Amino acid sequence: MKKRYTLEQKKWDAPVEHAMPTHARVPASFSIGGVHIAPATVLAPMAGVTDTVFRRFIKNASQFSATSDNVDVDSATTNAQSGCGQIMTEFTSADGLARMRETKRKRYLTYYDDEHPISAQLFGSNPETLAESARIVEDAGFDLVDLNLGCPAKRVVACNGGSGLLRDLPQIERIFKAIRAAVTIPFTVKFRLGWNDKHIICVPLAKMAEDCGLNAVALHARTREDGYTGQARWEYIAQVKDAVSIPVIGNGDIRTPQDAAAMVERTGCDAVMIGRAAPANPWIFRQIAQYTASKEATGVGTYDIPTDQDRYRMIRTYFQMLVDEIAIEEAAEAARAAAIVASGQIAREQRHRDAVGKMKQFAAWFTHGVPGGGALRKAIFEAKNGNAVLSEVERFFEASELTESADDSAPEDASMSLEALGAGCD
Ligand SMILES: Cc1cc2nc3c(=O)[nH]c(=O)nc-3n(C[C@H](O)[C@H](O)[C@H](O)COP(=O)(O)O)c2cc1C
């Protein structure tokens, strides 16, 4: 059976319990380019998971506890309250984005005001297309743009995207330069250690990113061949941190606040990125914030463990948000459909105007030499639509007694025809 790219395949193999580090804690903030991120935690991009509903759900997770009376996901929860400093879209195909019509693009790049700071992740292998898509992302108001060099999925690798590019550093450099030249917003890259153990390139890649003007790097400390198996090898995050001076975001196997603190302690990374733990425990960001604050205050890190009631509220809220989003999307679709109908109406009216314009233009020529043609031209010029013009023609020819005599207004015709012809040209 065909393997699907799902969350289920990506469980932790054999989670390691990290001893509670004595001093280390997740930094209160860090900056990527000019973007201030506080606290230094990032929700990892996850295809099929981190859409706008899930991202806002995570940012509002502090509300799903029994201590909050009303869950109001539309009320702004600060990043300090949610504990999640930055969010990212799931990966989006640069080729697709560049080809799509604007309305369709909007669906892929949907985000709400309370999602800032937000990064859009792109994948692809063509420098020009990626640069063009990065520009689209910038124009859409994203705070940052990220390049995916980690996706192990076969259909992505087959097109040389995601981790497929890890075998081609010169092409990565071309892509880095093209995107960097295309946008002014901070530009980051998320990558794996390398293709396999024989080809670990995370340090040279991070240095190249820095040299090309990227503003931060995020490392999922596994190779492409590792997939999601084994343990993330945090020692490589430490090596990357030693090698560059732009911020390094560590990623891989953080399941608890203790893990997050342990990663910072062992690697010196500037921020932590959390993926699979977020859908399993949407409170993780808030727990990290609680753990950090309590440790700072008392030396002992503690955090709330969600109750069954909290979990119930969390599930209900997420499902309700999904249902609400359908209504929002349907309303947007209806508005789009109404706009299409309206533009169809405008186009129809324009077509009628053009046809009548043509009739008026040709009336001058067609009535040349017709006795009393001046009256018909006048009637045609005053008519409001095609049918009215036709009626005038019918009436005229029914009523008139056609003679062989020449039209008495030929000179006038000539000037009108030129005028009419002129009006029809552009
Ligand atoms: C369902 C799923 C989808 C993912 N999609 C993406 C993606 O679109 N872009 C990306 O860079 N990484 C993607 N990843 C990888 C995660 O961002 C992260 O690097 C990985 O899960 C390791 O972090 P964790 O141990 O905290 O989960 C995905 C992971 C999962 C489980």
Side-chain angles (χ1 to χ4, degrees):
M1 211 170 74
K2 218 170 165 193
K3 246 184 152 191
R4 282 187 60 229
Y5 186 47
T6 62
L7 198 57
E8 286 68 43
Q9 286 161 17
K10 297 168 184 172
K11 296 206 183 90
W12 292 272
D13 267 359
V16 172
E17 292 299 328
H18 293 283
M20 198 183 285
T22 1
H23 302 295
R25 62 201 57 142
V26 172
S29 68
F30 78 122
S31 288
I32 303 182
V35 177
H36 181 70
I37 295 163
T41 52
V42 181
L43 172 65
M46 286 183 283
V49 180
T50 52
D51 57 11
T52 179
V53 174
F54 186 80
R55 296 191 304 257
R56 282 178 293 132
F57 169 71
I58 285 295
K59 290 197 76 158
N60 289 292
S62 56
Q63 298 189 29
F64 319 138
S65 71
T67 46
S68 329
D69 289 337
N70 288 311
V71 180
D72 176 9
V73 289
D74 290 331
S75 77
T77 307
T78 65
N79 291 0
Q81 283 168 317
S82 75
C84 180
Q86 189 209 312
I87 51 184
M88 301 179 68
T89 66
E90 44 197 322
F91 70 168
T92 305
S93 157
D95 290 346
L97 212 52
R99 266 199 317 262
M100 261 167 221
R101 273 182 300 121
E102 186 150 352
T103 41
K104 202 160 174 207
R105 264 182 212 155
K106 275 194 185 132
R107 246 174 286 160
Y108 279 86
L109 298 179
T110 296
Y111 69 91
Y112 290 78
D113 283 348
D114 60 347
E115 295 189 53
H116 292 290
I118 180 167
S119 172
Q121 190 187 61
L122 299 174
F123 77 93
S125 58
N126 180 296
E128 286 76 39
T129 314
L130 278 158
E132 190 187 337
S133 294
R135 237 175 271 124
I136 292 170
V137 162
E138 181 169 53
D139 290 347
F142 282 87
D143 303 288
L144 312 105
V145 62
D146 182 75
L147 175 68
N148 176 314
L149 295 184
C151 178
K154 276 200 186 114
R155 68 192 157 89
V156 174
V157 169
C159 309
N160 228 8
S163 61
L165 275 169
L166 294 174
R167 297 167 295 185
D168 191 351
L169 277 175
Q171 182 67 356
I172 294 179
E173 186 173 19
R174 284 190 281 275
I175 292 172
F176 280 170
K177 287 183 173 163
I179 297 181
R180 184 63 293 172
V183 293
T184 56
I185 51 173
F187 168 30
T188 62
V189 62
K190 177 170 178 285
F191 56 111
R192 286 184 176 237
L193 302 179
W195 183 255
N196 57 26
D197 278 4
K198 291 197 201 86
H199 192 74
I200 290 196
I201 44 89
C202 54
V203 169
L205 199 161
K207 282 187 178 160
M208 186 197 280
E210 180 163 43
D211 291 345
C212 291
L214 274 71
N215 303 92
V217 295
L219 178 61
H220 176 195
R222 285 188 171 86
T223 65
R224 192 268 174 180
E225 275 186 11
D226 287 340
Y228 287 83
T229 60
Q231 304 302 320
R233 291 176 265 173
W234 292 357
E235 58 277 21
Y236 285 106
I237 300 174
Q239 285 185 23
V240 166
K241 176 66 193 161
D242 284 345
V244 295
S245 43
I246 51 177
V248 174
I249 303 163
N251 171 236
D253 294 352
I254 293 177
R255 293 167 307 119
T256 63
Q258 289 89 329
D259 291 345
M263 181 188 272
V264 174
E265 185 174 64
R266 294 221 335 240
T267 69
C269 63
D270 301 275
V272 294
M273 178 183 276
I274 293 162
R276 292 164 296 172
N281 172 20
W283 296 273
I284 182 144
F285 292 100
R286 187 177 60 140
Q287 288 176 335
I288 292 174
Q290 289 174 333
Y291 177 80
T292 307
S294 57
K295 210 162 169 204
E296 209 128 295
T298 66
V300 181
T302 57
Y303 52 89
D304 293 343
I305 305 289
T307 62
D308 286 349
Q309 181 69 7
D310 294 342
R311 202 159 280 280
Y312 156 76
R313 289 165 64 99
M314 178 269 281
I315 292 171
R316 268 213 55 182
T317 305
Y318 182 54
F319 290 179
Q320 185 63 52
M321 285 174 79
L322 285 174
V323 171
D324 292 349
E325 191 65 16
I326 294 172
I328 292 169
E329 277 171 18
E330 280 176 354
E333 248 158 46
R336 271 196 296 273
I340 289 168
V341 170
S343 76
Q345 176 67 17
I346 290 167
R348 238 184 334 273
E349 283 167 7
Q350 185 59 47
R351 274 195 292 275
H352 277 276
R353 265 198 303 278
D354 290 349
V356 171
K358 269 238 141 63
M359 290 174 186
K360 290 177 181 177
Q361 178 187 334
F362 277 80
W365 292 316
F366 288 170
T367 60
H368 184 77
V370 174
L376 174 57
R377 283 192 294 278
K378 186 168 181 300
I380 291 175
F381 268 78
E382 283 167 4
K384 295 275 180 279
N385 56 48
N387 287 334
V389 172
L390 282 172
S391 305
E392 292 300 339
V393 172
E394 297 293 333
R395 196 179 8 249
F396 177 79
F397 283 101
E398 268 168 22
S400 72
E401 281 181 22
L402 298 177
T403 69
E404 293 297 309
S405 68
D407 182 1
D408 54 359
S409 57
E412 191 196 335
D413 283 347
S415 67
M416 271 177 66
S417 66
L418 281 176
E419 242 175 67
L421 191 61
C425 295
D426 58 34

